[in-house]
């Protein structure tokens, strides 16, 4: 999709009702689906986080930014995700959390990012985080500056590829809490996106599908 076409769709995207959790569940690992639908968050006292799904132009085409996290002792080690992170007391709300963390992790100024719309919140059982995603856009190609302590690499995927159903597969992955697990995932030329990130992307794909 060329970027000018994307900008013409922004006003429509803002008006579309969120597809919701049912589209998260389509990309949830099978062993998580029942758990997610039964969870009572009032009993979990979750931590809060905000992430940004960032759309931007690159050579006239619309792209989406992902990050590969560093290898560390944690449940999301070496996984592909959206930039973002944990709520801090300095943040007035979770949107500010998402923008602040995105600026810290990939160097895109929070003042340059336009929020298209908040997406459906998502609970992540292994880390006990309640994540608030935001679909966002910048008008010019960013100069990315990666946070060396947390981000291993930036992964830039054309939006058309992200929305292409042929990139949906079943993958065998190793997670910090399970080995050789079969999960629904997106495979973008060897970049495997699964778990919470894939679930958020599933809702984004459905949003775009409702434009036609």
């Amino acid at each position: 999709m060329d970027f000018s076409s994307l900008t013409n769709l922004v006003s429509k995207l803002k008006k579309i009702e969120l597809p919701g959790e049912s589209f998260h569940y389509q990309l949830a690992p099978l062993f998580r689906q029942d758990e997610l639908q039964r969870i009572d968050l009032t009993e979990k006292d979750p931590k809060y986080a905000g992430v940004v799904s960032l759309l931007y132009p690159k050579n006239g085409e619309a792209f989406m930014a992902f990050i590969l996290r560093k290898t560390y002792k944690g449940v999301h080690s070496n996984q592909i995700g959206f930039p973002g992170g944990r709520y801090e007391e300095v943040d007035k709300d979770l949107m500010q959390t998402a923008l602040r963390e995105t600026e810290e992790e990939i160097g895109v100024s929070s003042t340059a990012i336009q929020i298209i719309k908040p997406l459906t919140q998502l609970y992540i059982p292994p880390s006990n985080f309640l994540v608030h995603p935001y679909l966002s856009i910048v008008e010019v190609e960013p100069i990315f500056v990666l946070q060396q302590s947390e981000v291993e690499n930036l992964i830039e995927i054309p939006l058309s590829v992200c929305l292409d159903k042929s990139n949906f597969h079943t993958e065998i992955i190793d997670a910090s809490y399970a080995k050789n697990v079969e999960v629904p995932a997106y495979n973008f030329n060897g970049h495997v996106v699964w778990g919470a990130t894939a679930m958020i992307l599933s809702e984004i794909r459905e949003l775009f599908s409702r434009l036609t």
Side-chain angles (χ1 to χ4, degrees):
M1 179 186 296
D2 63 79
F3 189 74
S4 60
S5 297
L6 171 62
T7 57
N8 290 334
L9 295 173
V10 168
S11 61
K12 292 182 179 179
L13 285 167
K14 289 180 178 180
K15 296 174 184 177
I16 296 175
E17 184 177 351
L18 288 177
E21 291 181 337
S22 63
F23 288 89
H24 288 168
Y25 299 149
Q26 291 181 12
L27 267 292
L30 291 176
F31 64 90
R32 288 275 184 228
Q33 290 183 9
D34 288 342
E35 178 185 4
L36 287 170
Q37 295 180 59
R38 289 185 286 103
I39 280 175
D40 182 355
L41 290 178
T42 61
E43 298 178 353
K44 295 295 182 180
D45 188 24
K47 298 165 286 186
Y48 292 88
V51 301
V52 167
S53 175
L54 186 66
L55 303 171
Y56 61 95
K58 185 181 179 71
N59 299 323
E61 189 174 359
F63 272 71
M64 184 178 287
F66 298 84
I67 59 171
L68 176 63
R69 297 204 172 276
K70 292 278 190 180
T71 299
Y72 66 101
K73 292 182 179 180
V75 297
H76 303 301
S77 172
N78 199 39
Q79 288 184 11
I80 294 173
F82 291 118
R86 184 173 184 165
Y87 171 82
E88 303 285 353
E89 290 187 0
V90 297
D91 301 325
K92 66 178 183 180
D93 54 30
L94 283 159
M95 182 183 295
Q96 186 175 359
T97 299
L99 293 173
R100 175 184 56 77
E101 285 280 347
T102 295
E103 184 168 355
E104 291 176 5
E105 290 190 336
I106 62 175
V108 181
S109 172
S110 58
T111 59
I113 299 173
Q114 302 171 39
I115 302 295
I116 298 174
K117 68 192 304 160
L119 301 170
T120 304
Q121 68 181 22
L122 174 67
Y123 179 67
I124 305 177
S127 56
N128 193 33
F129 265 101
L130 186 62
V131 176
H132 290 248
Y134 296 88
L135 182 63
S136 310
I137 191 170
V138 292
E139 296 292 337
V140 297
E141 183 178 354
I143 299 174
F144 294 106
V145 180
L146 305 186
Q147 186 177 31
Q148 295 302 312
S149 60
E150 295 191 20
V151 180
E152 182 67 30
N153 200 8
L154 179 77
I155 300 171
E156 301 179 86
I157 308 293
L159 178 59
S160 58
V161 174
C162 293
L163 301 179
D164 187 346
K165 291 183 178 181
S166 68
N167 291 311
F168 173 77
H169 301 274
T170 299
E171 300 281 344
I172 304 297
I173 59 94
D174 287 339
S176 59
Y177 48 85
K179 303 297 181 185
N180 295 317
V181 181
E182 187 176 277
V183 297
Y186 299 108
N187 191 317
F188 302 130
N189 196 27
H191 297 299
V192 178
V193 177
W194 65 282
T197 305
M199 294 164 72
I200 295 167
L201 186 54
S202 176
E203 183 175 44
I204 293 171
R205 288 182 59 221
E206 179 60 20
L207 273 175
F208 276 90
S209 75
R210 295 183 181 186
L211 291 170
T212 55

